Amino acid sequence: MEVIAQYLDDLEDLIYAIALKWERMRRTIRFALFVTTSVSLQVFGVLLALSYPPFAVAVAALLLVGMLYRGAVHYSPGSVASS
């Protein structure tokens, strides 16, 4: 009976070790996707500005309005001073 308990304990340790490794891999993949997306959007913005400047200004204005709206409407618990 003791052998079964040890086997189940080892199996549980293996499962949790895999879960911890997966979390590290998930963070790495997420960071890589963020960096790739950020760089590609910046390159796209530069190419757009070089080929169609008025359209690039319009896109920048829409993005600015969107960020201002989100900043004014979005509630963030860490930004409000506690009383």
Side-chain angles (χ1 to χ4, degrees):
M1 201 59 166
E2 182 70 25
V3 174
I4 294 173
Q6 288 177 350
Y7 175 74
L8 290 176
D9 185 48
D10 290 343
L11 185 63
E12 179 189 28
D13 291 343
L14 178 66
I15 290 171
Y16 282 117
I18 290 171
L20 286 173
K21 289 293 183 182
W22 172 248
E23 180 64 25
R24 179 180 282 172
M25 286 178 16
R26 186 187 69 84
R27 285 183 187 169
T28 304
I29 291 169
R30 196 170 148 190
F31 178 73
L33 284 174
F34 170 75
V35 169
T36 304
T37 304
S38 176
V39 169
S40 64
L41 283 175
Q42 290 175 19
V43 169
F44 175 71
V46 169
L47 292 175
L48 183 66
L50 290 174
S51 58
Y52 303 107
F55 188 64
V57 171
V59 169
L62 286 174
L63 289 173
L64 177 65
V65 168
M67 289 190 308
L68 287 173
Y69 177 76
R70 185 177 184 275
V73 174
H74 183 69
Y75 172 73
S76 178
S79 65
V80 178
S82 59
S83 48

